[in-house]
Amino acid sequence: YGGLGLDFSYNIAVAEELGNIRCGGIPMAIGVQAGMATPALTRFGSHELKKQFLVPTIAGDFVACLGISEPGAGSDVANIKTTAVRKGDEYVINGGKMWITSGSQADWMCLLANTSEGPPHQNKSLICLPMNLPGIHVAKKIDKLGMRASDTAQIFFEDVRVPCKNLIGEEGKGFTYQMLQFQEERLWGVATALTPMETIIEETIEYTRQRKVFGQPVLHNQTVHFRLAELATEVELLRSLLHRAVALHVEGNDVTKFASMAKLKAGRLTREVTDSCLQFWGGMGFTSEVLVSRFYRDLRLMSIGGGTDETMLSIICKYMDILPR
């Protein structure tokens, strides 16, 4: 989008539209490619790196993945253990990554690794890592509750050698670069969840209007139609919070607090909407034939991906000066 002179609000418009795809794995893959694996390279990478990795990724010739999470470090990015030790004009990489979207098919990874023994927020760097190098082992494609169409891999590195010129920006700035794009990643995630929630509510209205129990449509039960009205209102409130955060972000403000609030609310609301609506579908809602069943599983990722509810609450508390930053 930067190359077209468009601001981040256009990303969000696309994200909301992608929510019309009835398979969460597709917006997930596009989101990783466009908004997670490439922003740091776009902002801080050398011209040579952009030509080698960014141009073919934008063209759709390369699949990119983001190598941040590890078995013992998900939301706690500072705790990653993967190392990239400089030896001559190369980095030697050892360690492993977990929960890597598109990891089984990626052509390259935007890898976060420890490049020194310094403080945890100042010893990390981002590296463009071709995935066909010796020593890279894609251990398995992870079997998941939802987002089953999404390729999620565990990957190990054993003495993987990559040129030092593949460093994105400055050495030791990787954590800072990653934090810059976390807020955009969370806002993208919120945007992709809005349309599916609206779709679930609309389909539940139609189904309960047709389904009769004790001689009348289920929808005519006040408990049902009042609950659907409440859920629709909550979705609109979330959209307003998202758009406020995006507007502030486009103006150059720090939106960490609002992005965290939106992510927290989205995680909780996706659970609430899918659980309530599935209940109104009765036994049919528990089958694989209906969309509400799929979204019941897929949208659970909003509670985890990009940071758990508890992580979001901790961030919000820090920005409210309840906890120290």
Side-chain angles (χ1 to χ4, degrees):
Y1 293 99
L4 297 173
L6 306 179
D7 61 47
F8 182 69
S9 65
Y10 287 84
N11 294 51
I12 295 300
V14 170
E16 286 195 47
E17 207 53 43
L18 287 173
N20 286 302
I21 299 172
R22 298 194 165 207
C23 172
I26 297 174
M28 168 72 70
I30 295 171
V32 168
Q33 183 98 342
M36 300 179 201
T38 51
L41 175 58
T42 303
R43 290 172 174 144
F44 306 108
S46 66
H47 176 74
E48 184 180 349
L49 280 183
K50 289 179 183 178
K51 185 176 179 181
Q52 184 179 352
F53 294 99
L54 185 61
V55 171
T57 302
I58 292 172
D61 296 324
F62 278 6
V63 173
C65 66
L66 179 64
I68 305 294
S69 296
E70 298 181 4
S75 298
D76 184 11
V77 176
N79 197 40
I80 65 166
K81 305 301 182 188
T82 299
T83 59
V85 179
R86 186 187 284 263
K87 291 188 178 179
D89 60 354
E90 293 180 318
Y91 286 110
V92 180
I93 300 165
N94 283 282
K97 296 294 177 179
M98 188 70 166
W99 315 119
I100 306 305
T101 300
S102 302
S104 297
Q105 57 186 306
D107 296 287
W108 69 280
M109 172 186 286
C110 178
L111 171 75
L112 185 69
N114 297 313
T115 48
S116 74
E117 298 288 338
H121 297 98
Q122 300 170 26
N123 73 336
K124 294 168 175 55
S125 303
L126 287 174
I127 298 168
C128 289
L129 178 67
M131 291 294 286
N132 60 354
L133 296 176
I136 297 178
H137 308 285
V138 179
K140 61 178 178 179
K141 184 177 178 181
I142 299 167
D143 190 18
K144 308 184 298 298
L145 169 69
M147 291 283 187
R148 297 179 66 83
S150 176
D151 162 21
T152 311
Q154 182 176 17
I155 300 169
F156 294 103
F157 309 112
E158 184 178 356
D159 293 329
V160 179
R161 293 180 173 270
V162 63
C164 290
K165 66 181 182 180
N166 282 29
L167 175 72
I168 296 175
E170 297 179 40
E171 190 171 278
K173 291 287 186 69
F175 183 88
T176 302
Y177 295 161
Q178 194 54 43
M179 290 303 106
L180 284 175
Q181 72 186 50
F182 259 167
Q183 307 319 319
E184 292 188 353
E185 174 186 334
R186 286 164 180 159
L187 293 171
W188 169 280
V190 173
T192 58
L194 286 172
T195 308
M197 285 193 286
E198 286 182 328
T199 301
I200 292 168
I201 292 169
E202 289 166 5
E203 292 207 355
T204 302
I205 291 170
E206 288 307 308
Y207 181 74
T208 53
R209 178 177 282 128
Q210 296 168 16
R211 182 183 173 218
K212 291 187 176 181
V213 176
F214 304 120
Q216 70 168 359
V218 172
L219 186 62
H220 289 183
N221 186 310
Q222 190 180 78
T223 302
V224 176
H225 58 245
F226 273 16
R227 181 62 176 146
L228 292 169
E230 287 175 346
L231 293 173
T233 302
E234 292 292 319
V235 172
E236 286 303 324
L237 287 169
L238 177 59
R239 176 177 277 110
S240 295
L241 174 57
L242 170 67
H243 289 176
R244 183 186 182 195
V246 170
L248 289 169
H249 179 57
V250 168
E251 292 171 0
N253 298 289
D254 179 1
V255 294
T256 303
K257 182 174 78 170
F258 290 123
S260 301
M261 286 177 169
K263 170 67 172 61
L264 171 68
K265 183 62 178 177
R268 291 181 169 178
L269 190 57
T270 51
R271 299 198 299 269
E272 198 176 346
V273 168
T274 54
D275 185 65
S276 292
C277 288
L278 188 145
Q279 188 74 16
F280 297 150
W281 283 71
M284 181 60 73
F286 203 65
T287 70
S288 298
E289 298 177 26
V290 294
L291 187 66
V292 67
S293 172
R294 180 172 201 163
F295 280 168
Y296 181 88
R297 292 177 285 109
D298 282 2
L299 291 178
R300 286 297 187 273
L301 188 61
M302 269 307 303
S303 306
I304 304 167
T308 62
D309 288 4
E310 292 72 23
T311 301
M312 296 303 103
L313 285 166
S314 295
I315 294 170
I316 294 164
C317 285
K318 290 175 182 178
Y319 277 79
M320 292 175 66
D321 295 326
I322 296 170
L323 296 175
R325 294 195 195 184

